[in-house]
């Protein structure tokens, strides 16, 4: 019936300047949040990160169902994790 979830993802990156946050949104055809949704969103966000920010270091990533839905995941990787 056209039901979809709007998921907001925020990446904390360091691209050689100061650490900053980058936002992206995904529309997923699903009725309610689930572990599979979190996995799909994480995979899509990391794919976009690799494609558009190849030299950046990922410091953290978090996702939430919008506008007032639950947090799907939060990973704080810290400055020691490099690709």
């Amino acid at each position: 019936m056209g039901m979809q979830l709007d998921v907001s993802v925020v990446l904390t990156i360091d691209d050689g300047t100061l650490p900053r946050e980058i936002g992206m949104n995904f529309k997923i055809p699903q009725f309610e949040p689930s572990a599979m949704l979190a996995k799909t969103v994480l995979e899509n966000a990391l794919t976009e990160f690799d494609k558009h920010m190849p030299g950046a270091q990922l410091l953290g990533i978090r996702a939430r169902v919008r506008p007032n839905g639950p947090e799907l995941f939060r990973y704080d990787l810290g400055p020691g994790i490099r690709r």
Side-chain angles (χ1 to χ4, degrees):
M1 299 195 64
M3 181 66 172
Q4 63 183 6
L5 293 175
D6 188 15
V7 179
S8 173
V9 178
V10 177
L11 304 170
T12 305
I13 67 163
D14 183 353
D15 60 358
T17 59
L18 293 175
R20 61 187 173 115
E21 293 187 341
I22 303 292
M24 41 178 98
N25 293 310
F26 296 99
K27 293 192 182 298
I28 309 289
Q30 188 167 326
F31 293 103
E32 57 188 51
S34 68
M36 187 58 76
L37 173 68
K39 179 180 181 270
T40 299
V41 169
L42 179 59
E43 289 171 345
N44 290 344
L46 291 176
T47 298
E48 290 297 311
F49 173 69
D50 283 338
K51 183 174 15 172
H52 297 290
M53 296 166 252
Q57 179 180 5
L58 183 62
L59 303 177
I61 183 171
R62 58 192 179 278
R64 175 177 296 283
V65 175
R66 293 179 12 164
N68 298 318
E71 185 172 73
L72 292 176
F73 58 81
R74 174 185 294 257
Y75 297 108
D76 294 316
L77 304 172
I81 305 296
R82 285 213 171 266
R83 287 194 257 178

